[in-house]
Structure formats: structure tokens, C-alpha cells
Amino acid sequence: MTSSRFGTAADAGRPRRILLLSAVMAGLTALGACAGNQGVVYNKNFTAGYSPDSLAALRTPLLVETFGAPAAGVSQAAVTASTVDGLRASGPRWARLGYSGNPGDAPNPAYRLRFAYGAERSFSRQDFCKTDREPGNVTTDGSTTRTVVALCRGERFVSIAEGSPGQGTDIGSERFSNFVGAIGRQVMPRENPVIENECLFRACD
């Protein structure tokens, strides 16, 4: 290693490394602040059955069903109402959908959007869209903020996402509304990502 009266070559590179590290830490801090302000969506999955056109063509509101709660001491009706409000405020704009937590507004719905708040580790994603599921028979855990959201068609999900609104969420807050909108936009994108991915490898019309 070379050296001089100004220090070694390693010393010369140290300020640049410190600057780079500082930039990385600042980015992580900003990301953490963003997650803290509006929660975070950390994975999503789609099936070939996802059809944005048929979803956008709904003549009735998209039925929203909730299971569990993101905070203690709130009723299921209040959770559903706040979830619907969040979708209306910041959900996917392209679909021009109406949203309702009242089954009477969407008889025999083609699609249902389900939210499971406080979903425990053993929560069954595969069974989440079963039509016999009721809020009382879907197990949730008040100690976790894990949220599972599924767009259901029949008894299967065509898209599903997971995330967290953060600890101690107030369901009447802007933060909660932003989280609901963000995960709604992820679970209901404009295009079918499965088809998009297939088109990378073959010609598509």
C-alpha cells in the first residue's frame, strides 16, 4: 500500500465511502419515514384469471369485505367503512369503480375485495375467497399488523397482496386511508401482469 505525508491510499478513499454510506442511510431513513406515514405493501401475486376489463365493466359497486381489525377496540362495521373510504379517496382511479361494504348494493357480485387485518402466520391465503367465510370464522391476530388483501372472483383470488398499515393505526387517519389506497392500487392494476410477463417472450396482440 502506498503512503505519503497526506496519508495512505486507503485514507484517500475514506471520505468517498463515508459520503456513500451517508447517502444510503439517508435513503433508508426516508423510506422508513414513508412506510411509517402510510404503511407498506411488501408483496403481491396475480393469476392468469385477472381481467381488468371485466372488473372495470362492473355495473354495481365493488363489494368490500373486512375481517379482523388493524387496531383494538373498533367494530367490524367501522373497519369496513374506513376501508371503503380509503379506497374512494386514494384507490385505483383507472377503474372508476364504486365501492360498498353493504352486500345489498352488490347482489351476486362477480368480484369481491377482501381485507384481512391482523392476519396470523398460519392464515390460509388459498381459502380466503371461499364464499362461506364470515368475519367471525377467519382467524386474525391482534398482535400483528399483517394485512392480506385479495380480489376474489368466485371462490378463488385473481390477485392478492400483503402489507402493513403500521403499529397503532387509527382507522380514521390519513395514514390508514393512504395505506388502503396503496394496497388497493397494487391488488387491482390497470393491466394483467401475468399476460405482460408472457409477452416478453412471445408476440402478443
Side-chain angles (χ1 to χ4, degrees), residues 86-157:
L87 289 165
R88 289 172 177 169
S90 55
R93 301 291 186 192
W94 65 265
R96 301 184 183 278
L97 291 168
Y99 302 94
S100 178
N102 179 7
D105 292 336
N108 302 313
Y111 290 93
R112 289 166 290 122
L113 185 60
R114 287 187 164 180
F115 286 71
Y117 295 105
E120 60 184 8
R121 184 182 297 274
S122 61
F123 182 87
S124 174
R125 291 167 33 131
Q126 295 301 322
D127 295 333
F128 188 29
C129 287
K130 296 294 185 182
T131 55
D132 62 352
R133 292 294 183 269
E134 298 291 340
N137 61 30
V138 172
T139 303
T140 57
D141 181 354
S143 67
T144 178
T145 64
R146 179 189 178 201
T147 301
V148 180
V149 182
L151 179 63
C152 303
R153 188 169 191 176
E155 296 204 332
R156 297 182 178 182
F157 69 80

Side-chain angles (χ1 to χ4, degrees), residues 11-32:
D11 291 334
R14 192 167 297 157
R16 181 177 295 178
R17 290 197 299 272
I18 291 173
L19 183 61
L20 180 61
L21 181 59
S22 298
V24 171
M25 293 304 294
L28 290 175
T29 300
L31 181 61

